[in-house]
Amino acid sequence: MLKSLLKATTVFAFGLGLAGSALVAPAWSEVVYNRGSAADPESLDPHKTSTIYEADILRDIFLGLVTEDVKSEAIPGAAESWTVSDDGKVYTFKLRQGATWSDGAPVTADDFVFSWRRLQDPATAAEYASMLYVIQGAEEINTGKAQPDTLGVKAIDANTLQVTLKSPTPYFIEMLTHQSTYALSKANVEKFGADFIKPGNLVTNGAYTLTEFVPNDHIKLTKNPKFYDADNVKIDVVNYIPNEDRSAAMKRFEVGEIDTYADLPTEQLADLKAKFGDQIRVGPYLGTYYYAIKTDKAPWDNVKLRHAVSEAIDRDFLAEKVWSNSMLPGYSMVPPGIEGYTSAMADFAEKSQIDREDDAKKVLEELGYGPDKPLKMEIRYNTSENHKNTAVAIQEQLKPLGIEVTLLNTDTKTHYAHLESKGDFDVARAGWIADYSDPESFLGISVKASGNNYSNFNNEKFEALMKEAAAAGGDPAKRLDLLSQAERVLIDEVGQIPLLYYSFKNAVSPKIVGWEDNVMDRHPTRFISKTE
């Protein structure tokens, strides 16, 4: 396994790959990219994933109708072209002629029909099913009111897919870069059932195929010779190597065991910049770091209490001291940077921290809480020095107000599995990175039907405004205004507690060529090369 890597630098010097693991030593001519990751994926089923750790891998092995270039801009993928009806509701996609799955079978429009019906089938329990509610019939199917074959997606012929939306949706094409919209081989899923995702079984249409998956050790992907653009793919083998210990990961980066790593230990950021120079990449990232708070559980079902807790948190301290100015204080769910949109900020955003704490203390006293009768609160977080330091700082900030905070840490996979299963908690660390550059990506996670609504937020006014915005796609200005109104409800009702706006923090070896910084922080391996 990879645990022996620190004793095997000689092996790396001779290019034999991951010493001590089950990986077979590559041929001398093969180019191997060891790609560090902060966590293992929960699943490699595109319809059952929700984190960036899964998205990065799936982006390498699958190809959606639309994909992204090195700047994270939408470009043709499995579809080589598409047209849109005059009313903006019917999209017709032409699939690439001759494109095949990794087993040689043709990629067809029927595969997409099958996959999108599977995504909406309640039996799949897809986290992202609600994202495709923009498609005619999707919501009815996912809520058990209609059959999957009523979905507004049909195969005109083997190479032509037609999609009918409920209303014009400005972000629809960009949304199709998301992993939940990837097609699966219908024949492959029917042959293997739940085991279709295992190495040796999984059939893919992207630049790579799944060769090995050893949990907590590595995921090995091998170049797919049947990929339509295989001649331009320079990396032969990519190994995704999980390591939740950010400090340990950077030691492995230093000795060359991994070529890139994301999410650096922020308390070491200044030292890392001094040591590695421009190998440390930090820049704006379209995402929000937030705490989910259980809105349907006493005492957190009291909006005044939720508001007081949120107001008392010193976000400036978190950004400056805990995250070493690599994050910005956050007071809205939608981060800055989306053209034409004005985020709804918390009503205390312009107050001094002293005034915020005074206001919060008064509310807590009114509700009967204080040093003599403390409010007990548990914060759950997934393994990371950064998340731990954030939780500890908040624990100390709330203590003088009579809030006794306890901390519960689990690994990333366990943490998100608990949240997604609607398990019990008080407050839990979460983060949301844009699936597409639109405010709906950040607000849609708080609708009642979303599998990512960890807080169980349920507000009729918010739901109505989100539906009204979805129906106003033909009027962009009106739509954005309605979304801003919806965010105002979400923030005032404290359906979530936004804390910080993200920046990306990557370590990139000078051997890696083609890694271009972008606000989505997406870097498909097919566009990367490696020099020795």
Side-chain angles (χ1 to χ4, degrees), residues 217-237:
D217 190 90
H218 71 274
I219 293 173
K220 179 181 179 181
L221 310 182
T222 305
K223 181 177 174 179
N224 176 12
K226 298 188 184 302
F227 180 57
Y228 84 94
D229 196 31
D231 288 347
N232 290 314
V233 176
K234 305 304 182 185
I235 301 292
D236 297 302
V237 174

Side-chain angles (χ1 to χ4, degrees), residues 38-39 53 243-246 263 381-388 408-413 415:
Y53 315 116
N243 200 325
E244 291 187 329
D245 185 333
R246 274 69 172 169
D263 200 10
Y381 66 94
N382 55 304
T383 301
S384 160
E385 301 97 309
N386 300 335
H387 304 331
K388 178 182 178 180
L408 178 61
N409 167 230
T410 60
D411 65 87
T412 299
K413 186 174 181 179
H415 177 77

Side-chain angles (χ1 to χ4, degrees), residues 446-457:
S446 295
V447 299
K448 180 173 62 175
S450 173
N452 298 302
N453 183 4
Y454 310 137
S455 291
N456 283 353
F457 182 63

Side-chain angles (χ1 to χ4, degrees), residues 30-95:
E30 284 187 325
V31 180
V32 179
Y33 171 20
N34 293 318
R35 186 166 183 162
S37 174
D40 251 346
E42 289 184 58
S43 171
L44 291 180
D45 181 340
H47 302 152
K48 296 186 178 183
T49 65
S50 64
T51 72
I52 57 173
Y53 315 116
E54 298 145 350
D56 288 341
I57 299 168
L58 293 171
R59 194 176 296 117
D60 277 352
I61 60 179
F62 287 100
L63 185 69
L65 290 170
V66 181
T67 189
E68 294 161 308
D69 62 14
V70 293
K71 296 180 180 179
S72 200
E73 295 177 354
I75 59 174
E80 59 186 4
S81 65
W82 54 85
T83 57
V84 187
S85 62
D86 290 342
D87 64 2
K89 295 197 293 185
V90 180
Y91 285 71
T92 303
F93 297 90
K94 289 291 185 181
L95 303 191

Side-chain angles (χ1 to χ4, degrees), residues 457-515:
F457 182 63
N458 184 5
N459 181 279
E460 290 184 3
K461 186 176 181 181
F462 176 77
E463 296 284 328
L465 285 166
M466 290 296 290
K467 288 183 177 179
E468 192 176 350
D475 186 340
K478 179 181 179 181
R479 175 179 171 274
L480 290 177
D481 180 63
L482 288 165
L483 288 172
S484 185
Q485 291 180 48
E487 186 180 18
R488 169 53 54 205
V489 175
L490 177 65
I491 293 299
D492 288 350
E493 293 294 316
V494 198
Q496 317 285 356
I497 300 179
L499 297 173
L500 300 158
Y501 303 131
Y502 273 103
S503 64
F504 60 74
K505 297 170 285 294
N506 299 320
V508 182
S509 166
K511 294 181 180 180
I512 296 300
V513 179
W515 179 294

